[in-house]
Amino acid sequence: MPTVFPAFAKINLSLEVVGRRPDGYHELRTIFQTIDLHDLLEIEATATPDVRLTCDDPNLPCDERNLVVRAAQALQAAAQTRRGARIRLQKRIPTQAGLGGGSSDAAATLLALRRLWAVNVSDAELHRIAAGLGADVPFFLTGGTALGLGRGDVIHPLPDAVLPFIVLIHPNVSVPTGPVFRRLNADLTDAAAVRTLAASLSVGVNWRQAGNDLEAVVFEDFPAVREARDRLYVWGAQTARMSGSGGVVFGLFEDAATSETARRAGVDAGWSGWVCRSVGREAYARRLLGQAK
Ligand code: C5P
């Protein structure tokens, strides 16, 4: 019998790019937050070592190009196990949208298979494997509200943010992350080095005062993303912002009725929309691994 694991999406409540790194990545200071929009992974551990993935989204590859397969294989290697897995992925989180869907699927696979295979891999080792899969993957090992430094993979858990209703609007554009960061480079100065140091010293950050430094670049190339952000304010959002490298924008709303009206207005504009709640750190762990023995 397969076990079902939800893989939750994230938003970036704030995202500051504080410098360029010698490894080609960018030094970030970001506040991550898990939300209840989620993919579903049905996983069955097998006695033979092959990892077989199927997915209900025909646009996604099911071979080593998929982070779920890479995560399973990396854990197999680290744990030196001969067991494998049959995995069925039901995609609900839009891809290339700034919601971390692929990264969350990968982290959920690591946590799930460590449990199902009953292998002895420490949290520190799991974090190392996660960071090797992608900059956003380590955050999804803990979830909740967290400060991400470094490439976004140095995680400092924070007290759960108290958030009202979160409306996501996807103006149905796919935004690949790499080019967005590359376009930023022209604007980064040497002052970035100083700010990098400051970022690594300061663990507290008020996300309400920060914004998303990637918005300007994405708004220029994808005007619909800016339009969606502006509309969220018109529809009553207290704060509206792009998540990650976009193109999803989120708005924070006081009550259920206003947020549902905003979601519907987004759908009427030809976009996709969701009303979400935040998922705190304890609920994240309980809901992710709750059904696994
Ligand atoms: O690690 P991941 O594969 O998710 O990152 C995708 C791309 O986004 C990287 O290849 C890099 O170009 C860019 N990136 C960056 N700085 C970060 C995270 C991502 O430049 N902190």
Side-chain angles (χ1 to χ4, degrees):
M1 274 291 287
T3 310
V4 180
F5 300 88
F8 296 96
K10 60 84 177 159
I11 53 175
N12 299 81
L13 291 172
S14 62
L15 192 162
E16 296 167 274
V17 181
V18 293
R20 229 173 334 187
R21 296 159 52 108
D23 62 5
Y25 273 80
H26 291 78
E27 194 75 19
L28 302 184
R29 183 166 62 173
T30 183
I31 306 284
F32 290 112
Q33 173 66 56
T34 38
I35 57 174
D36 57 7
L37 174 66
H38 59 272
D39 292 340
L40 287 171
L41 287 155
E42 285 173 33
I43 307 186
E44 193 165 11
T46 56
T48 51
D50 38 307
V51 172
R52 251 178 283 152
L53 174 68
T54 54
C55 180
D56 64 352
D57 180 347
N59 298 314
L60 288 188
C62 287
D63 55 18
E64 279 83 5
R65 285 170 295 171
N66 194 304
L67 272 188
V68 166
V69 173
R70 293 225 290 278
Q73 290 175 342
L75 185 67
Q76 259 179 338
Q80 297 189 312
T81 179
R82 301 276 306 154
R83 300 192 72 186
R86 260 192 298 275
I87 306 174
R88 199 173 109 71
L89 171 59
Q90 292 181 46
K91 230 28 221 174
R92 301 285 175 269
I93 307 170
T95 53
Q96 295 204 318
L99 297 174
S103 301
S104 183
D105 295 340
T109 300
L110 292 176
L111 290 166
L113 286 177
R114 179 170 70 169
R115 178 72 64 90
L116 296 178
W117 287 339
V119 288
N120 195 7
V121 173
S122 69
D123 286 349
E125 176 71 353
L126 211 63
H127 187 286
R128 195 193 58 74
I129 297 169
L133 294 168
D136 277 354
V137 183
F139 162 68
F140 288 105
L141 295 177
T142 44
T145 309
L147 171 66
L149 297 176
R151 297 183 311 152
D153 54 352
V154 179
I155 300 299
H156 299 267
L158 296 174
D160 286 333
V162 179
L163 294 166
F165 294 85
I166 303 162
V167 176
L168 306 181
I169 299 290
H170 187 20
N172 300 330
V173 293
S174 283
V175 183
T177 305
V180 172
F181 275 102
R182 277 196 290 282
R183 282 272 311 275
L184 257 192
N185 280 345
D187 302 332
L188 291 175
T189 65
D190 286 348
V194 179
R195 292 170 65 196
T196 300
L197 181 63
S200 63
L201 295 174
S202 121
V203 166
V205 65
N206 183 346
W207 60 266
R208 287 184 189 278
Q209 277 162 19
N212 182 334
D213 287 347
L214 302 177
E215 279 181 351
V217 166
V218 177
F219 286 176
E220 212 174 298
D221 289 352
F222 303 93
V225 180
R226 183 203 295 270
E227 197 187 329
R229 194 275 315 262
D230 291 347
R231 294 266 199 111
L232 277 167
Y233 278 117
V234 174
W235 298 331
Q238 299 155 311
T239 303
R241 199 164 276 178
M242 191 175 78
S243 181
S245 55
V248 159
V249 292
F250 66 90
L252 303 181
F253 287 78
E254 276 286 291
D255 61 85
T258 325
S259 53
E260 176 53 25
T261 305
R263 184 196 69 81
R264 211 165 307 145
V267 172
D268 288 345
W271 298 328
S272 306
W274 297 262
V275 177
C276 301
R277 303 304 302 262
S278 60
V279 177
R281 190 157 37 257
E282 266 181 40
Y284 182 82
R286 192 175 59 244
R287 291 175 68 178
L288 206 167
L289 285 174
Q291 288 177 46
K293 299 285 176 317

